Amino acid sequence: MISGAASILLVLLTVFTILGLYLRGVLQSRRVYWVRRRIPFVAWPHLLFGNVQGLWRDEHSATLGQRLYRDLKARRLAAGGFNLLASPSILVADADLAEELLVKDAGRFPDRGLHVDAHVDSLSETLFTLRGDRWSDRRDRLAPVFSEETIRRVFGTVASVADELRVEIRKNLGSREEDVHEWASRYVTHVMGTSVFGIRCRTIQVPNTEFRVNGRLAAEFSWMTLLKHWIGVTMPGFARKFGLRITEPTVENFYAGLCRATVLHRESYGFKKNDLLQLFIKLREEGQLTMEDVTTECYSFVKYGMETCTSVLTFCLYELSKNVVIQKRLRDEITHSLEDTDGQLTYEVIMSMTYLDQVVNETMRKYPPMDFLYRRSTQSRDNVPKGTLFVIPVYAFHHDPDHFPEPDKFNPERFSEKQTRTRHPYSYLPFGAGPRGCAGARFGLLVVKIGLVTLLRNFRFVWPGDPHHQGEVQFRPNALVLSPVEGSVRLRVERI
């Protein structure tokens, strides 16, 4: 006769066996998902890891996606199925199809498919993540924040932060090589503090301020954070049911407290500044935004803008250090442009620099901060079910020799007016395109360009290694934003 303990053990083993068989059945059905629908796919997927084995551990998603893209291109396919871990998705490999998803048929692909749940994560409902009518309503309300007039308004603040960076670098210059990514990060974080939250966080002078520590936590993508993002994107129903929370409570409490305290201080004392927060406060006074909306949108600049701006500025200085002729030509343009204003940097001067624009565009071509764009379908079509996630591999598009000959070469001339006209307009997508293109692009570009101009008019950046064996920078595998391995971009900085 079986004892009570043995009976319980037998029941548990039976339950776990049934659950295991059920899970295996689900995974196996997802493995043959595209076969059953007679849709071409990239390769036979792994039962658990799909077509992205090694993602986040051995390889960044940019280069992994590039391999899948090349497979589809070699077979002359505009798109194909692939498994993002255990989630069947569609990878886009054609610029015409990318244009259809992002612009021409944007109504059928209105959302990024990111996880949003304000009940458990109050900072998740940003303009970047919102869906449907709530997104379009928020976009219309926030239009003044992202206008050219606003960018002009914060120009002086950003320029003053860049000058603080100049002073601090000059003060600390020595024989050692400088960690350019660290300086770029401190500069961009300081800009976010002053221009968005209206506080003087002194991150350039004091690198580990509370604002920067929490900013790093907000933009940090640990294994657990990346896993949560994946669950939110690929299994939205599961994420909502179990109340998936992505933002760390300490980060939420810090930014909510900071924003509320600053807003209440200004409203109580009638204090006003030329920053983005002041515009948010105005919208709040007009009944366009709630206090929670103000906090969320200010936070989104930190979460989605801090690392992207840092990445572009870092990679640009890295490429300029290896391409001395390009660096000299850009510095000459800066010097010449500033002659008419007696060295005074203005918004008009920045906007007039054609070669600066080409250099920044080429940096974002070779190192797009966001290497993928996501869109979720709202209708079934051609055996592809409603709700399928479509993935546009931006990094792969930008490194396709059919669009950009010699893609590994840093060549700003690709963005001359003549060459730009000959290229498919949707082969270059650093900010996405269409209705859901990046609303903060204008502000991000301003931050990067002011930083570059200030640094290049005062310093020369020199590649410290063998000029004949420069190699390529290595990407940090577990980073959502394309970033170099920590400490790997160290340059010699010389005064001019």
Side-chain angles (χ1 to χ4, degrees):
M1 188 172 180
I2 301 176
S3 67
S7 297
I8 294 173
L9 180 61
L10 182 61
V11 170
L12 288 175
L13 285 173
T14 303
V15 170
F16 281 120
T17 300
I18 293 172
L19 286 174
L21 290 172
Y22 172 76
L23 180 60
R24 181 176 178 82
V26 171
L27 292 174
Q28 185 61 32
S29 70
R30 294 191 171 198
R31 196 180 193 188
V32 297
Y33 189 87
W34 297 119
V35 175
R36 289 175 175 172
R37 284 165 175 75
R38 297 182 180 179
I39 290 176
F41 55 97
V42 293
W44 189 246
H46 187 278
L47 188 66
L48 287 176
F49 303 110
N51 298 109
V52 294
Q53 193 167 5
L55 177 67
W56 307 333
R57 183 193 67 209
D58 306 320
E59 188 175 7
H60 192 273
S61 56
T63 52
L64 193 153
Q66 185 182 29
R67 288 207 311 276
L68 303 182
Y69 172 90
R70 286 173 173 173
D71 175 77
L72 295 175
K73 285 276 292 188
R75 293 153 60 191
R76 298 186 178 182
L77 294 171
F82 81 110
N83 279 21
L84 183 55
L85 297 181
S87 178
S89 307
I90 293 288
L91 188 76
V92 176
D94 178 76
D96 286 332
L97 182 55
E99 181 181 9
E100 182 179 341
L101 264 68
L102 300 172
V103 181
K104 291 183 177 179
D105 204 8
R108 195 161 67 90
F109 303 92
D111 304 321
R112 291 190 170 95
L114 300 175
H115 176 62
V116 179
D117 189 348
H119 296 296
V120 296
D121 193 343
S122 65
L123 296 182
S124 65
E125 289 194 336
T126 68
L127 184 64
F128 187 81
T129 59
L130 281 172
R131 302 168 184 157
D133 293 339
R134 295 195 65 197
W135 163 76
S136 57
D137 179 63
R138 180 75 64 86
R139 177 199 59 187
D140 293 342
R141 295 182 184 208
L142 292 179
V145 176
F146 301 105
S147 67
E148 183 177 8
E149 180 184 350
T150 298
I151 302 306
R152 288 175 176 271
R153 179 175 182 164
V154 300
F155 180 89
T157 302
V158 179
S160 67
V161 174
D163 197 57
E164 287 186 51
L165 176 67
R166 173 192 65 80
V167 171
E168 198 66 20
I169 290 179
R170 185 178 289 272
K171 205 164 56 175
N172 288 277
L173 274 186
S175 58
R176 71 182 191 281
E177 295 162 4
E178 299 293 329
D179 185 344
V180 174
H181 185 268
E182 169 67 13
W183 282 117
S185 176
R186 287 160 67 173
Y187 159 67
V188 173
T189 305
H190 198 139
V191 167
M192 295 298 170
T194 56
S195 300
V196 180
F197 285 87
I199 62 169
R200 181 167 172 75
C201 56
R202 289 184 55 79
T203 306
I204 290 175
Q205 296 82 6
V206 185
N208 293 317
T209 61
E210 190 177 9
F211 188 88
R212 189 182 186 205
V213 169
N214 281 279
R216 280 176 160 175
L217 287 174
E220 183 182 61
F221 290 94
S222 63
W223 285 93
M224 184 56 68
T225 305
L226 287 164
L227 181 61
K228 287 179 180 179
H229 273 283
W230 171 75
I231 292 173
V233 169
T234 60
M235 295 186 285
F238 176 87
R240 284 193 297 271
K241 184 176 181 179
F242 288 92
L244 179 68
R245 179 190 180 96
I246 295 177
T247 309
E248 290 294 327
T250 54
V251 173
E252 179 181 323
N253 292 336
F254 173 78
Y255 284 109
L258 175 64
C259 199
R260 182 176 293 276
T262 309
V263 170
L264 293 178
H265 174 78
R266 292 193 187 184
E267 289 181 341
S268 299
Y269 293 95
F271 184 64
K272 295 183 179 181
K273 293 182 71 173
N274 281 327
D275 54 28
L276 297 180
L277 180 61
Q278 197 63 49
L279 289 174
F280 287 126
I281 292 174
K282 183 173 183 291
L283 292 173
R284 179 172 179 259
E285 292 171 347
E286 294 171 352
Q288 299 291 313
L289 298 176
T290 65
M291 186 66 226
E292 289 71 24
D293 294 336
V294 173
T295 301
T296 298
E297 293 305 333
C298 286
Y299 169 75
S300 71
F301 276 86
V302 172
K303 184 172 178 64
Y304 301 111
M306 199 159 73
E307 285 301 309
T308 52
C309 291
T310 298
S311 167
V312 174
L313 187 53
T314 301
F315 284 126
C316 190
L317 292 172
Y318 165 76
E319 284 292 345
L320 291 175
S321 73
K322 297 197 302 176
N323 295 274
V324 294
V325 174
I326 295 174
Q327 183 178 164
K328 183 180 183 304
R329 179 177 169 183
L330 178 54
R331 185 177 291 108
D332 288 344
E333 181 188 60
I334 292 169
T335 303
H336 177 73
S337 299
L338 290 170
E339 286 176 354
D340 293 335
T341 59
D342 294 326
Q344 183 70 32
L345 188 61
T346 65
Y347 178 82
E348 289 73 21
V349 168
I350 286 281
M351 292 298 107
S352 71
M353 295 185 194
T354 305
Y355 197 61
L356 171 65
D357 198 52
Q358 291 177 210
V359 168
V360 173
N361 281 333
E362 175 66 351
T363 302
M364 294 189 294
R365 195 276 311 170
K366 193 173 180 183
Y367 308 99
M370 300 304 294
D371 56 306
F372 284 95
L373 299 175
Y374 298 99
R375 293 293 186 273
R376 194 177 296 282
S377 64
T378 57
Q379 301 172 24
S380 299
R381 181 175 167 183
D382 300 330
N383 288 334
V384 178
K386 172 185 176 180
T388 298
L389 190 70
F390 282 70
V391 180
I392 302 173
V394 176
Y395 182 90
F397 270 50
H398 289 190
H399 287 76
D400 187 337
D402 289 342
H403 300 308
F404 300 95
E406 297 183 275
D408 293 331
K409 181 180 179 181
F410 187 79
N411 178 18
E413 288 301 318
R414 299 180 200 276
F415 292 92
S416 65
E417 188 176 346
K418 180 180 179 181
Q419 289 201 35
T420 300
R421 281 200 306 267
T422 64
R423 195 165 50 239
H424 195 295
Y426 293 91
S427 61
Y428 179 65
L429 298 164
F431 299 113
R436 296 220 61 152
C438 179
R442 191 182 274 127
F443 176 72
L445 285 173
L446 182 78
V447 173
V448 170
K449 287 181 176 181
I450 290 177
L452 278 174
V453 169
T454 302
L455 291 174
L456 290 172
R457 68 188 293 201
N458 291 281
F459 305 106
R460 185 178 295 105
F461 293 84
V462 182
W463 176 250
D466 184 344
H468 301 294
H469 299 87
Q470 295 176 345
E472 288 294 330
V473 67
Q474 297 299 306
F475 304 138
R476 188 157 56 91
N478 62 330
L480 196 62
V481 173
L482 197 66
S483 304
V485 171
E486 191 170 348
S488 63
V489 183
R490 304 189 70 89
L491 307 177
R492 196 163 70 245
V493 184
E494 301 172 352
R495 296 185 186 185
I496 292 178

